[in-house]
């Protein structure tokens, strides 16, 4: 079984998006957690972007000891020098050089010809490789780059010393079959180049970042770049937790695994939310508040009898403290009985029927029944029934 390495870019591509900026201390805290999570590579920032970013990469490089620390640089010497300075004290440094290769970017953004781009890539990859033990090259906007040119760029970058070749879907434009095909084409062009890892890096503009990343894995990618909670430019990057859990749940289908410690996924997601103050949408896969919540009566009944009926992942496997059976207007009696039991109340069938009736009436008016209103209901029912029983005993026998 192959290992798919996880390249976490929460601190770089993720942090680049509005509302997610972090200071040096926050980056260090998250970096420690990401190392515990088991990421293979941690991209700490883009040192040329600002002195603060350089300082943050430096701090992360000093903090993290086991996984590789990557720093991003355009194919420019000033960028590469800044990245190398930031990585000086890293135990396992990785220089990440990138340059856009699509005609659109070359013409409008960089005002460069293809030949000039090729020269810059070869020049900076070899310059970096002379100064850093590991160099990754990314062809920005690869999915909209002429395929023959992309193949030529990748072959040249490999020749110049890059051992990780990243094929980003920078604008989230690709679709799974097409993105996978790109990996086949590049691999074909590289031939049996030993020691070269192809990497996927997907954005979520069409909501396909995870699907595209998995298609790349199927097509031979052995590194996937992603972020916690899927944060990142515009609609975000591919979500780490979704990719990792998909590879774990469907391991037989992919014949690949990751080094991620699954139980650390939820605490890591929570830490990122706590640091940035940005919460995760409730319906977010794996880490959303509803990812392990069940409200419909039929589902609740199934879950009570056997969780496998409606859950393909056990919540505790990804570090979620417990599944939630949410009491609302779609809930059933079994879930109500269970919740009352968890709250310390055994109820008879008649009491349950009465509680259920009252809870449903309440559910029509509110979105979710809280434990507080549940307790008020069961107290009321027990009190009324208890009183009724006393009255019944005292009452003269009917004739
Ligand atoms: O989306 C992208 O192309 C990037 C590169 C810098 C890797 O983030
Ligand atoms: Zn990106």
């Amino acid at each position: 079984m192959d290992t798919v390495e996880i390249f976490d870019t929460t601190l770089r591509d993720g942090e680049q998006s509005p509302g997610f900026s972090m200071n040096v201390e926050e980056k260090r805290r998250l970096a420690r957690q990401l190392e515990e999570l088991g990421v293979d590579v941690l991209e700490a920032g883009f040192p040329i972007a600002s002195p603060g970013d350089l300082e943050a990469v430096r701090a992360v490089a000093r903090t993290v000891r086991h996984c590789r620390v990557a720093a991003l640089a355009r194919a420019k010497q000033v960028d590469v020098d800044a990245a190398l300075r930031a990585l000086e004290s890293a135990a396992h440094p990785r220089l990440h050089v990138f340059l856009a290769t699509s005609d659109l970017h070359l013409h409008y953004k960089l005002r460069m010809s293809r030949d000039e781009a090729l020269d810059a890539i070869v020049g900076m990859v070899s310059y970096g490789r002379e100064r850093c033990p590991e160099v990754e090259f990314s062809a920005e906007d690869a999915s909209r780059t002429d395929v023959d040119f992309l193949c030529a760029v990748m072959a040249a970058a490999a020749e110049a010393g890059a051992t990780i070749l990243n094929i980003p879907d920078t604008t989230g434009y690709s679709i799974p079959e097409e993105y996978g095909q790109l990996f086949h084409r590049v691999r074909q062009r590289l031939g049996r180049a030993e020691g070269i890892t192809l990497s996927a890096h997907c954005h979520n503009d069409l909501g396909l970042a995870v699907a595209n990343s998995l298609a790349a894995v199927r097509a031979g990618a052995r590194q996937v770049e992603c972020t916690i909670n899927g944060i990142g430019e515009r609609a975000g990057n591919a979500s780490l937790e979704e990719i990792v859990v998909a590879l774990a749940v469907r391991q037989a289908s992919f014949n690949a695994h990751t080094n991620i410690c699954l139980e650390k996924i939820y605490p890591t997601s929570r830490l990122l939310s706590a640091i940035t103050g940005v919460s995760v949408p409730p319906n977010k896969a794996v880490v959303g508040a509803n990812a392990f919540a069940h409200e419909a009566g039929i589902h609740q009944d199934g879950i009570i009898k056997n969780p496998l009926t409606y859950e393909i992942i056990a919540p505790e496997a990804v570090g979620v403290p417990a599944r939630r059976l949410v009491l609302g207007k779609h809930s059933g009696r079994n879930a109500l009985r269970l919740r009352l039991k968890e709250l310390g109340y055994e109820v008879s069938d008649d009491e349950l029927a009465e509680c259920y009736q009252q809870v449903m009436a309440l559910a029509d008016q509110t979105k979710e029944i809280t434990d507080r209103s549940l307790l008020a209901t069961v107290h009321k029912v027990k009190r009324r029934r208890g009183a009724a029983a006393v009255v019944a005993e005292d009452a003269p026998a009917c004739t």
Side-chain angles (χ1 to χ4, degrees):
M1 184 167 310
D2 280 0
T3 302
V4 173
E5 296 212 317
I6 297 298
F7 176 115
D8 179 276
T9 184
T10 307
L11 296 177
R12 200 277 298 169
D13 219 342
E15 202 245 358
Q16 247 166 252
S17 53
F20 286 96
S21 59
M22 292 172 237
N23 63 32
V24 175
E25 199 35 53
E26 289 167 339
K27 279 194 163 192
R28 282 185 65 213
R29 229 173 116 203
L30 194 58
R32 271 190 229 105
Q33 178 69 27
L34 289 167
E35 184 163 49
E36 274 191 36
L37 177 67
V39 304
D40 301 282
V41 189
L42 194 164
E43 187 164 54
F46 187 17
I48 196 68
S50 71
D53 232 33
L54 190 143
E55 200 36 58
V57 177
R58 208 174 244 152
V60 170
R62 271 198 298 263
T63 306
V64 165
R65 294 287 91 188
H66 303 295
C67 60
R68 280 157 275 164
V69 177
L72 186 67
R74 288 169 299 182
K76 288 184 170 194
Q77 192 176 327
V78 45
D79 282 38
V80 173
D81 286 340
L84 293 172
R85 267 202 314 283
L87 289 173
E88 260 158 18
S89 49
H92 310 285
R94 177 185 291 185
L95 174 68
H96 183 187
V97 178
F98 80 100
L99 191 74
T101 50
S102 66
D103 288 336
L104 191 69
H105 279 235
L106 286 175
H107 181 73
Y108 288 101
K109 190 181 82 177
L110 300 173
R111 304 197 185 285
M112 261 180 157
S113 68
R114 287 186 181 184
D115 284 347
E116 285 167 337
L118 211 47
D119 283 350
I121 292 163
V122 170
M124 282 306 107
V125 168
S126 46
Y127 176 84
R129 184 62 192 83
E130 281 157 19
R131 293 160 178 80
C132 186
E134 195 171 62
V135 176
E136 167 170 343
F137 172 71
S138 287
E140 192 190 12
D141 206 21
S143 54
R144 295 191 300 170
T145 297
D146 172 76
V147 181
D148 291 328
F149 182 56
L150 179 68
C151 288
V153 162
M154 290 306 190
E159 184 78 11
T163 49
I164 303 96
L165 300 177
N166 188 33
I167 306 177
D169 181 26
T170 304
T171 55
Y173 173 74
S174 213
I175 51 178
E177 301 74 24
E178 190 181 274
Y179 193 56
Q181 200 51 36
L182 215 46
F183 283 75
H184 285 303
R185 286 291 297 275
V186 171
R187 178 51 80 190
Q188 221 169 30
R189 173 68 171 77
L190 294 173
R192 290 178 51 80
E194 292 292 323
I196 300 288
T197 301
L198 295 188
S199 168
H201 177 115
C202 297
H203 282 266
N204 208 27
D205 301 66
L206 296 177
L208 293 172
V210 171
N212 284 338
S213 304
L214 294 174
V217 169
R218 226 184 249 303
R222 287 297 172 263
Q223 174 181 281
V224 176
E225 306 194 356
C226 43
T227 59
I228 300 296
N229 297 344
I231 69 168
E233 289 280 358
R234 306 179 308 280
N237 284 64
S239 139
L240 180 149
E241 55 279 4
E242 293 177 24
I243 291 172
V244 165
V245 171
L247 288 175
V249 170
R250 303 303 307 273
Q251 198 176 79
S253 173
F254 286 96
N255 198 28
H257 73 103
T258 71
N259 294 321
I260 296 295
C261 172
L262 296 184
E263 304 94 81
K264 301 263 164 72
I265 284 179
Y266 185 67
T268 310
S269 160
R270 293 303 295 249
L271 178 63
L272 176 63
S273 293
I275 287 175
T276 59
V278 183
S279 51
V280 169
N283 61 325
K284 167 85 175 62
V286 185
V287 292
N290 288 352
F292 299 98
H294 308 271
E295 182 181 327
I298 294 172
H299 290 215
Q300 291 179 332
D301 186 47
I303 286 286
I304 290 167
K305 288 170 177 156
N306 182 344
L308 290 177
T309 51
Y310 287 101
E311 280 177 357
I312 56 165
I313 324 152
E316 57 276 12
V318 290
V320 173
R323 72 176 52 85
R324 284 190 314 134
L325 294 186
V326 179
L327 292 172
K329 65 177 180 179
H330 307 107
S331 304
R333 280 160 214 258
N334 281 353
L336 177 59
R337 190 194 285 282
L338 185 70
R339 187 69 198 131
L340 288 173
K341 197 167 170 196
E342 284 166 358
L343 292 171
Y345 290 86
E346 291 282 357
V347 285
S348 68
D349 288 350
D350 287 347
E351 286 169 339
L352 180 68
E354 197 173 332
C355 284
Y356 186 72
Q357 203 179 27
Q358 295 194 17
V359 164
M360 286 302 111
L362 195 60
D364 269 335
Q365 293 152 30
T366 57
K367 288 193 189 330
E368 192 177 322
I369 304 294
T370 61
D371 285 348
R372 186 178 250 248
S373 49
L374 212 54
L375 286 172
T377 305
V378 72
H379 284 167
K380 199 161 69 183
V381 167
K382 287 243 178 224
R383 209 176 315 116
R384 205 188 66 72
R385 292 206 150 249
V390 173
V391 171
E393 274 169 20
D394 289 347
C398 291
T399 53

